[in-house]
Amino acid sequence: MVENCSWEAHATNRNKVCPGAGEALELYSRGFLTMEQISTLPPPAIVNYLFLLLCLCGLVGNGLVLWLFGFCIKRTPFSVYFLHLAGADVGYLSSKAVLSALSTGAFLGAPAAYLRAVCRLAGLCTFVAGVSLLPAVSTERCLAVLLPSWYWRRRPKRLSAVACTLLWALALLVTGTHRYFCGAPGRAGCRRMDAALGALLFLALCPLMVLPCLALVLRVECRSRRRQRSAKLTHVVLAVVAVFLVSSIYLGIDWFLFWGFHIPAPFPEYVTDLCICINSGAKPVVYFLAGRDKSQRLWEPLRVVFQRALRDGAELGEAGGGTANTVAVEMQCPPGNAA
């Protein structure tokens, strides 16, 4: 018998329903992003089509970011983080699109079940990687703004690449451990693993991304004399973190109520997944809005817009004598591949 069973909603009464052994396995095998729901009914069919639409739009936007940041814009310490963020978002949106397509087509059988398991595993890994990258980029940006002279002189040249590699390794380790405890029948400790995963996301990584952003707001936004110098990339970092916090609030409420007060998650799984899809697809829009020039009446190439959004971060190395220690953002796309 499973404790803290889900609630089945009816028009006249509400009965507490404890799932059987097979149902409990399916309930917990989906992992942290589901937990226990008030209603075990499947989402409406329109939700799957909405997921497909959001995922396709997000894949197009993040695919452009991968192409431009990877091949068309010369690397800077911050563009490396945005490149890996786009890769994590592409991975999550791809896995969610496949799951939605399988649900829309009502595919059954062993191949479909195996594909669902792989997509859930890949989705969890890329989600954890994306969340882990946000504290890194916000912390680096905070150091670059608050201590520019020290930061650009002491910063290791390949710090961004090394940090991203370690964070991806952390995501793989967390996902593998989660799979070990929650992926097979009779495995004990799945609930503890879900609780530890939630603590990592909301009690460790969220404060690590919020505190540097608060320091950025106090230092940059409250001093109008320095706004024009370093505002664009700072606004990008603040907006990306804000979008994540707003979109993950439902997931945080689910986790807090379930593990703090043993209350079944009040939001259906598709509501929290919908918010995460919006978060993954919104980053290219943030880059575009931050980099566009309002005085330009004609449409600008996307590589120019993204270049403008990243330029402030590259030019912060002027501390102490006006020498730019960082690499200037340059266009490397051949004329035929201009975005």
Side-chain angles (χ1 to χ4, degrees):
M1 188 65 65
V2 180
E3 299 178 358
N4 303 319
C5 306
S6 60
W7 292 85
E8 183 179 5
H10 294 281
T12 57
N13 60 354
R14 297 171 65 87
N15 301 321
K16 199 172 186 179
V17 178
C18 291
E23 296 173 329
L25 171 61
E26 169 62 19
L27 181 67
Y28 295 116
S29 68
R30 289 182 291 182
F32 169 74
L33 299 184
T34 299
M35 297 178 290
E36 293 188 14
Q37 308 297 333
I38 288 179
S39 174
T40 58
L41 298 176
I46 190 63
V47 174
N48 290 320
Y49 293 103
L50 181 59
F51 272 126
L52 284 175
L53 178 61
L54 288 175
C55 290
L56 291 178
C57 293
L59 286 172
V60 171
N62 283 285
L64 287 174
V65 173
L66 283 176
W67 170 253
L68 294 173
F69 286 6
F71 302 102
C72 300
I73 299 177
K74 198 167 185 178
R75 301 289 176 82
T76 68
F78 294 100
S79 67
V80 173
Y81 289 112
F82 296 132
L83 180 66
H84 284 267
L85 276 172
D89 291 334
V90 166
Y92 179 81
L93 292 172
S94 299
S95 62
K96 192 60 187 177
V98 173
L99 288 173
S100 300
L102 292 175
S103 299
T104 302
F107 293 100
L108 302 175
Y114 177 78
L115 187 57
R116 285 188 177 94
V118 171
C119 288
R120 286 170 182 155
L121 198 65
L124 179 61
C125 179
T126 51
F127 174 73
V128 174
V131 178
S132 303
L133 288 165
L134 291 178
V137 66
S138 60
T139 301
E140 277 223 35
R141 182 58 181 169
C142 182
L143 291 175
V145 173
L146 268 62
L147 304 171
S149 180
W150 176 88
Y151 176 79
W152 292 110
R153 292 176 182 175
R154 301 293 183 86
R155 180 187 183 277
K157 184 178 180 180
R158 300 185 180 276
L159 177 61
S160 299
V162 172
C164 292
T165 302
L166 293 178
L167 292 174
W168 276 104
L170 173 64
L172 290 172
L173 177 62
V174 170
T175 305
T177 307
H178 190 276
R179 172 65 181 175
Y180 175 80
F181 284 105
C182 300
R187 285 275 169 87
C190 183
R191 283 192 167 193
R192 296 177 182 176
M193 186 61 208
D194 275 351
L197 180 56
L200 172 66
L201 295 176
F202 296 111
L203 301 183
L205 296 179
C206 282
L208 288 177
M209 73 177 73
V210 169
L211 293 178
C213 289
L214 292 178
L216 284 174
V217 171
L218 293 176
R219 177 62 183 267
V220 178
E221 297 300 322
C222 296
R223 297 192 178 187
S224 58
R225 292 180 299 177
R226 296 196 177 186
R227 284 185 181 180
Q228 297 302 322
R229 175 181 295 182
S230 59
K232 282 190 180 295
L233 186 56
T234 300
H235 289 164
V236 170
V237 175
L238 293 176
V240 167
V241 173
V243 169
F244 167 76
L245 294 177
V246 172
S247 61
S248 63
I249 188 170
Y250 293 120
L251 186 61
I253 292 174
D254 279 357
W255 178 80
F256 180 75
L257 291 179
F258 184 71
W259 296 110
F261 301 97
H262 303 287
I263 299 175
F267 303 106
E269 179 189 12
Y270 60 84
V271 173
T272 55
D273 285 355
L274 183 65
C275 294
I276 297 174
C277 286
I278 293 174
N279 168 68
S280 298
K283 293 185 182 69
V285 180
V286 172
Y287 306 153
F288 175 79
L289 294 178
R292 70 190 182 97
D293 188 354
K294 298 180 181 179
S295 63
Q296 293 288 339
R297 295 182 179 180
L298 299 178
W299 182 266
E300 293 182 294
L302 287 178
R303 68 174 185 271
V304 177
V305 177
F306 289 139
Q307 178 192 26
R308 188 180 297 117
L310 293 176
R311 180 174 296 166
D312 290 339
E315 291 176 355
L316 277 177
E318 63 182 6
T323 56
N325 312 29
T326 57
V327 183
V329 183
E330 299 174 357
M331 301 178 192
Q332 294 180 331
C333 275
N337 294 336

